[in-house]
Amino acid sequence: GKIAVIGGGPAGMSVAWILALRGFRVTLFEEKSQLGGLLNLAAKIPGRGEFAAYVSYLECELKTVDVDIRLNTLADSSSIMAEGFDFTICATGTVAGAPPIDGIEMSHVTSAYDVLSLELEDLGHVVILGGRALGCYTALYLSNHAKSVQIIDADETLGIDIGRSTRWVVLQALKDKNVQTNLDAEVVQINKKYLTVIQDSKYYHVNADTVVLATKPQPRERILKQLEKKGIKNNQVGSLNGFTNLLDTIHDAFRFASTFTL
């Protein structure tokens, strides 16, 4: 069978590798200039360089099984149809979610993905909205690039989606870096110089030069919907299935590729 895999992150690389091992002819499409997806951003976090090593490992494995890797290529339903693939697997991952807060569109509001990928500097006093893994790791990164870093989250627990063996290390690192955390708090408005926050039924202001969105990401479903509309056989793996943990994402891709049949 001739298989197209769209998305060169950990799920896409894993599913392409296993399918190629099983004898399928696999083409892997990645719109950026390198494979790895969000792992390339995660590798920039202090102490998480192993993510870059894992990307290199998968790249080597893909070469050994002759996967056709096409970088800088934005696949769409038309190009997939033109090449006559028997099946298409979407591993397009997620994009940063934007919560419905007044002022979210202001120029000093950015996403955690952009902060990490663009390596922004001179951010002043930073407030991160979201205290899950993305917010915590972004705070660790920004602790070396900002005057101060504060995390605000509506949940009562910080880093709830971080593995047990890692979470306490991350929390201690945040403490060591003097990252302030405000939990069980909700941002209701963003202004040019401050945020309006409600906590314990009381409103107060938090000064912020830069606001970073690290809220729950949303699935990138554009190509998936295109394929379905044109009746192209397809399925999805990884974070498109709701997985946010790297290990779960890779396991999902492995399970699919191991049992897949045309």
Side-chain angles (χ1 to χ4, degrees):
K2 186 178 178 183
I3 309 297
V5 177
I6 304 177
M13 297 174 77
S14 298
V15 78
W17 172 38
I18 300 301
L19 287 175
L21 277 174
R22 294 184 58 211
F24 291 93
R25 289 171 293 150
V26 182
T27 300
L28 177 60
F29 295 92
E30 169 53 46
E31 62 181 296
K32 297 188 181 300
S33 60
Q34 60 180 346
L35 296 175
L38 294 181
L39 288 185
N40 294 321
L41 301 186
K44 295 181 179 181
I45 305 300
R48 303 319 302 259
E50 73 273 12
F51 287 129
Y54 186 66
V55 173
S56 298
Y57 163 73
L58 285 178
E59 286 180 321
C60 291
E61 295 299 330
L62 290 173
K63 291 177 181 178
T64 63
V65 290
D66 296 323
V67 171
D68 179 9
I69 300 173
R70 301 186 190 178
L71 301 176
N72 298 305
T73 304
L74 181 60
D76 57 28
S77 56
S78 298
S79 61
I80 295 297
M81 288 186 69
E83 293 200 45
F85 289 102
D86 298 307
F87 200 89
T88 300
I89 300 166
C90 291
T92 46
T94 59
V95 293
I101 301 174
D102 288 342
I104 199 75
E105 75 288 344
M106 298 188 75
S107 60
H108 66 303
V109 180
T110 186
S111 72
Y113 296 159
D114 285 343
V115 165
L116 295 171
S117 62
L118 300 177
E119 299 183 353
L120 301 178
E121 299 284 350
D122 300 323
L123 299 176
H125 298 287
V126 175
V127 174
I128 298 174
L129 306 189
R132 289 176 171 254
L134 180 60
C136 292
Y137 286 129
T138 303
L140 288 177
Y141 172 79
L142 290 179
S143 64
N144 297 324
H145 301 269
K147 292 180 179 178
S148 69
V149 180
Q150 180 176 170
I151 297 174
I152 298 178
D153 194 281
D155 209 315
E156 297 179 352
T157 307
L158 193 67
I160 59 174
D161 58 338
I162 301 176
R164 292 182 181 179
S165 60
T166 306
R167 182 171 175 269
W168 72 271
V169 177
V170 173
L171 296 182
Q172 183 61 50
L174 291 172
K175 185 177 180 180
D176 293 342
K177 294 288 186 177
N178 296 316
V179 174
Q180 183 179 349
T181 58
N182 285 335
L183 303 179
D184 200 16
E186 182 180 358
V187 176
V188 295
Q189 188 175 30
I190 300 174
N191 291 308
K192 190 173 182 180
K193 294 184 178 181
Y194 62 85
L195 309 178
T196 301
V197 180
I198 181 172
Q199 187 178 39
D200 297 328
S201 301
K202 297 179 180 179
Y203 290 89
Y204 63 95
H205 291 162
V206 175
N207 294 330
D209 299 311
T210 304
V211 179
V212 178
L213 303 180
T215 47
K216 186 177 181 179
Q218 303 298 314
R220 296 185 63 192
E221 298 177 323
R222 177 189 58 83
I223 182 64
L224 189 64
K225 293 179 178 179
Q226 286 183 3
L227 297 173
E228 292 173 350
K229 188 175 182 179
K230 292 190 176 182
I232 299 174
K233 293 181 180 179
N234 70 88
N235 212 317
Q236 61 197 50
V237 295
S239 52
L240 279 177
N241 284 330
F243 296 105
T244 57
N245 177 279
L246 173 61
L247 196 58
D248 292 337
T249 297
I250 295 172
H251 281 175
D252 181 60
F254 180 83
R255 283 191 298 265
F256 176 86
S258 299
T259 57
F260 173 77
T261 56
L262 284 172

